[in-house]
Amino acid sequence: MLKITDLTKRYGNGELVLKGLNFEIEGPGLTAIIGSSGAGKSTLLRCINRLVEPTSGRIVVDGVDVTTLRGRRLRHSRRAIGMIFQGFNLIDRLSVMENVLSGRLGYVSFAQALTRRYPQDDVDRAFSLLERVGLQDYVNKRADTLSGGQRQRVGVVRALMQEPKILLADEPTASLDPKTSQQIMSLTRELSDELSLPVLVNIHNVHQAKEFSDRVVGLRYGTIIFDGTAAELDDDALDRIYEGTAGRGEQGEEPVDDMAIDTRGVAPS
Amino acid sequence: MSTPRPRRTWRKPPAIANPVLRYSVFVLVFAYLYWAIASLPFNWDRIVQGLPRAVRIFGSAFPPEFARSQLMISGFTESIQMAIIATLVGVAISIPVAIMAARTISPRPVYLLGRGIIILARSFHPVIVAIIFVKAVGFGALAGILTLVLYSLGFVGKLLAEAIEEVDYGQIEAIRASGAGFLKILVYAVFPQILPRQVGLSIYQLDSNLRASAVVGVVGAGGIGGTLMNAFRRFDYDFAFAILIVLIGIILVSEGISGRIRRGIA
């Protein structure tokens, strides 16, 4: 499903953020990626859908090597990769339905996108997914009027609209209160099971990582130093993952270089 | 137990820390002011002679004369038409230029071209641009409209480009992750974020064009400015004064309306 080989990433002339990662996801299930701020979790996720350009290595998604794709073929490969964000990244001034339908942008024509005339199947799918997450009464509400938990559910639905083969979630609960955060993680887990969808979640909260995931990958300064089941993640393993990084904060903000803002422009993608 | 608290004084640190530099700046500023005032050719005799003339001009402006309202109406109508057309065309052109000139979403060469267009459009005051267009396309409203289009392009383009550079990049990332191309990213992630700014700027620019359309008329680019200039040339100060009063009224009204609309969309 997803196979990463010798992946490295360096921003500008800085240090390597990812130092030759190898890892594979074969089938459905929830994989948690843990590690302190700056370990390279966000960068890893963004390399998979090429929001960040890998420096070297290969990433194969669903049999396609995405590392060399350009233009239309890159955009088509992105359709198969759904993504959920820490800050939700909804379009605040658009309605819930427009946000949800924007998950189909990779499939519809520009004219359809501009006039919001999406195919009937897409609209049906949008309504049923919104019902599934309990937001059927918010269809025409503006996204910025929703609460944090509701917004992230819109984010989940938007990603699922893509009919993805794999779902990436970058700290999906870090902006939410503990209770809402738990709800979003359960929802993600349930949807992963219902749709037999492989999910890759960056997460700060170790308890949630253990509770909701089948597999845990520990990242430390760009290297995988733990890869096992949630049960195998004991205190010793946690020490190795977070050792010497204490104080950089378990809830801390990711440093700027890890936010992976690519300022080279969206045009050439 | 308690030790007496030591007294400590505090003063706001001066803006320029180095005292030598600080006082040098004071001395230089005053020296320049003295030199500038002393060397400007104020001819007091002529100012004194001119005063009665000024009094006579203002005297003959009273009472303002509204009898030739037909001339005034056609002048103002032309000015308002010029302002509206120029705003529509100027804002329409400024959108693609602003996209080009936004560093965060345009490739470097396109960015430089976009910035170049904006800098060029902003280099000259509308009056100078109007003089050039009057020479190029002749007297009348067309020269005025072209001037105001350029004026709108420069102003709206610059501020819109800055608004685009300030959009939340996360929203762009999210739309991009769905497999959308450049145009879809613009429509879904960029335009919704800059829409309030865009509407506000357009209305402000209409307001501003209305004002500027009176000025460019003075150099022959159509509208009420031409009527005003003719009134001065024929010493019809009472008619000129009437025009000025109406102009102030129109600007007040347009300012009121545009302020209200801009508050409404914030």
Side-chain angles (χ1 to χ4, degrees):
Chain A
M1 187 60 249
L2 171 71
K3 189 168 171 26
I4 294 176
T5 319
D6 296 330
L7 177 66
T8 70
K9 172 62 188 178
R10 176 197 304 281
Y11 290 103
N13 296 317
E15 270 183 67
L16 280 176
V17 179
L18 302 177
K19 300 169 180 162
L21 300 190
N22 286 286
F23 109 108
E24 188 168 359
I25 289 184
E26 270 143 15
L30 197 144
T31 304
I33 302 174
I34 60 171
S36 57
S37 300
K41 305 189 298 293
S42 285
T43 301
L44 168 60
L45 237 53
R46 281 169 166 74
C47 281
I48 296 171
N49 61 1
R50 293 269 305 278
L51 290 179
V52 164
E53 289 300 320
T55 303
S56 71
R58 265 163 61 88
I59 298 171
V60 177
V61 181
D62 199 26
V64 181
D65 182 354
V66 299
T67 33
T68 56
L69 297 180
R70 293 175 56 80
R72 176 181 294 267
R73 296 185 56 209
L74 171 61
R75 295 199 298 274
H76 279 194
S77 83
R78 280 188 182 138
R79 301 192 303 203
I81 308 168
M83 189 159 184
I84 311 171
F85 300 86
Q86 171 176 351
F88 322 130
N89 290 359
L90 301 185
I91 312 304
D92 288 334
R93 304 185 63 86
L94 296 186
S95 66
V96 166
M97 186 52 110
E98 283 171 299
N99 270 286
V100 168
L101 288 170
S102 73
R104 299 301 293 175
L105 282 174
Y107 296 89
V108 300
S109 72
F110 177 69
Q112 285 172 308
L114 186 67
T115 57
R116 273 55 163 174
R117 290 182 192 279
Y118 284 80
Q120 188 59 46
D121 286 350
D122 294 354
V123 178
D124 291 341
R125 187 176 165 78
F127 274 115
S128 68
L129 281 170
L130 283 173
E131 266 162 37
R132 170 65 185 82
V133 302
L135 289 176
Q136 63 277 15
D137 296 335
Y138 293 85
V139 171
N140 287 319
K141 287 269 188 308
R142 239 169 74 160
D144 56 6
T145 62
L146 269 54
S147 70
Q150 290 170 332
R151 286 195 205 195
Q152 193 57 298
R153 279 183 275 164
V154 175
V156 171
V157 170
R158 172 173 69 184
L160 293 179
M161 283 299 287
Q162 291 175 226
E163 297 181 86
K165 302 266 172 52
I166 184 168
L167 187 63
L168 310 176
D170 187 24
E171 311 274 4
T173 61
S175 309
L176 300 171
D177 64 69
K179 183 162 166 263
T180 318
S181 153
Q182 198 75 3
Q183 288 168 351
I184 292 292
M185 282 309 292
S186 325
L187 177 69
T188 310
R189 173 80 243 189
E190 288 163 26
L191 288 167
S192 166
D193 292 341
E194 284 168 31
L195 305 166
S196 309
L197 187 67
V199 181
L200 208 53
V201 186
N202 281 347
I203 192 161
H204 267 309
N205 186 323
V206 174
H207 299 291
Q208 284 184 345
K210 286 181 132 177
E211 181 181 349
F212 292 105
S213 59
D214 304 299
R215 176 181 170 191
V216 177
V217 173
L219 213 58
R220 182 185 155 87
Y221 298 139
T223 311
I224 293 175
I225 62 161
F226 177 87
D227 190 346
T229 64
E232 287 165 359
L233 183 70
D234 51 20
D235 286 351
D236 182 48
L238 284 172
D239 277 348
R240 277 187 292 127
I241 296 167
Y242 290 103
E243 189 200 352
T245 63
R248 298 183 68 176
E250 204 169 315
Q251 292 93 25
E253 291 280 302
E254 297 277 298
V256 173
D257 67 343
D258 205 36
M259 286 301 287
I261 291 172
D262 199 339
T263 55
R264 288 171 317 113
V266 288
S269 66
Chain B
M1 261 309 279
S2 73
T3 52
R5 193 179 293 168
R7 305 202 97 187
R8 284 172 288 190
T9 56
W10 182 86
R11 266 178 224 293
K12 182 180 171 340
I16 303 172
N18 181 345
V20 178
L21 182 63
R22 188 161 68 241
Y23 289 109
S24 310
V25 168
F26 280 132
V27 171
L28 277 175
V29 167
F30 282 108
Y32 173 78
L33 270 180
Y34 177 79
W35 174 82
I37 292 168
S39 67
L40 276 177
F42 290 120
N43 185 331
W44 289 107
D45 287 343
R46 294 191 59 178
I47 291 172
V48 170
Q49 281 173 17
L51 274 177
R53 200 160 54 229
V55 170
R56 200 169 64 243
I57 288 174
F58 281 110
S60 63
F62 281 101
E65 205 242 32
F66 289 93
R68 275 166 287 177
S69 60
Q70 200 50 49
L71 214 54
M72 203 147 79
I73 289 169
S74 74
F76 274 114
T77 313
E78 190 172 57
S79 271
I80 292 170
Q81 281 172 336
M82 279 163 57
I84 291 174
I85 293 171
T87 307
L88 287 176
V89 177
V91 167
I93 301 174
S94 74
I95 293 171
V97 173
I99 292 165
M100 288 167 67
R103 196 195 310 260
T104 45
I105 64 165
S106 287
R108 187 101 186 133
V110 178
Y111 162 74
L112 291 175
L113 178 63
R115 281 282 150 177
I117 294 173
I118 288 172
I119 289 170
L120 207 65
R122 286 173 58 81
S123 304
F124 300 107
H125 191 274
V127 170
I128 296 176
V129 178
I131 292 172
I132 296 170
F133 275 126
V134 167
K135 292 279 176 215
V137 302
F139 288 101
L142 178 62
I145 289 171
L146 291 175
T147 303
L148 297 179
V149 164
L150 205 66
Y151 176 48
S152 312
L153 167 63
F155 182 78
V156 178
K158 182 185 161 74
L159 291 183
L160 210 53
E162 275 160 20
I164 294 174
E165 285 173 355
E166 284 161 15
V167 298
D168 170 14
Y169 197 80
Q171 299 182 27
I172 292 181
E173 235 186 358
I175 295 300
R176 217 174 153 199
S178 74
F182 185 65
L183 287 180
K184 288 176 191 164
I185 291 174
L186 280 183
V187 169
Y188 273 77
V190 178
F191 289 165
Q193 294 192 64
I194 61 165
L195 187 71
R197 267 318 273 296
Q198 162 74 66
V199 175
L201 281 173
S202 306
I203 290 167
Y204 175 82
Q205 190 59 37
L206 179 61
D207 207 34
S208 180
N209 279 349
L210 203 57
R211 235 169 289 215
S213 74
V215 178
V216 298
V218 172
V219 296
I224 192 67
T227 320
L228 183 65
M229 209 52 210
N230 282 332
F232 273 121
R233 215 172 282 145
R234 288 195 304 260
F235 307 105
D236 290 339
Y237 296 121
D238 48 357
F239 182 46
F241 190 52
I243 292 175
L244 290 179
I245 289 173
V246 175
L247 187 59
I248 292 169
I250 287 179
I251 285 168
L252 278 179
V253 169
S254 99
E255 194 138 330
I257 294 173
S258 80
R260 186 161 298 185
I261 295 176
R262 274 183 286 145
R263 267 197 305 281
I265 52 150

